[in-house]
Amino acid sequence: MIDTDRPLLFLDVDGPLIPFGDPPRGGYPTYRSPHVPPGTTPGGNPLIARVDPELGPRLLGLPGEPVWATTWLEDANECLAPWLGLPRLPVVDWPVDAPDATGEPEGLHWKTRALVERAAGRPFAWVDDEITEADRRWVAAHSPTRTLLHRVDPRRGLTEADFTALDAWLRTA
């Protein structure tokens, strides 16, 4: 059953959950998940070992309804959800022409319109590493409700400060 009283929490994968870009000194940490058998990586994707499995309980602890908002689509449920100890989450189905931003105002992310449409008037937070001021302006002008477009540093992924900001906003949405 969908809890329409809770705000939506749209989650991107690459950047917020899987850090990338210039690695920190010493490289990215690698993790082992207590939710999957030792030595296995769901989906065989080696980048999943960069995802801290403790993010799963932290995400579930936020007062929002998590939804995958990523080009991983159902692969997020097949690969990441088990690693993080998450149940299957709803997935945003992108428009057929995504990720092509043809016809979008300059600087508008190709996900922006689809997320406002998917929210269907519900408050939402969008966690992504590619959010720009153009997205914030467009959402402010086109969403009938409160929104938070929360940009994450892709080199670090979700941090304590990100969780604090998301939790505070979701509790007041």
Side-chain angles (χ1 to χ4, degrees), residues 146-160:
R146 293 189 63 225
T147 59
L148 172 68
L149 278 60
H150 187 81
R151 188 179 185 285
V152 173
D153 182 340
R155 294 166 297 174
R156 291 192 189 136
L158 283 166
T159 64
E160 187 64 35

Side-chain angles (χ1 to χ4, degrees), residues 12 62 110 112 118-119 121 160 167 171:
D12 184 32
L62 291 171
W110 60 267
T112 307
R118 172 66 185 261
E160 187 64 35
D167 186 70
R171 288 187 188 284

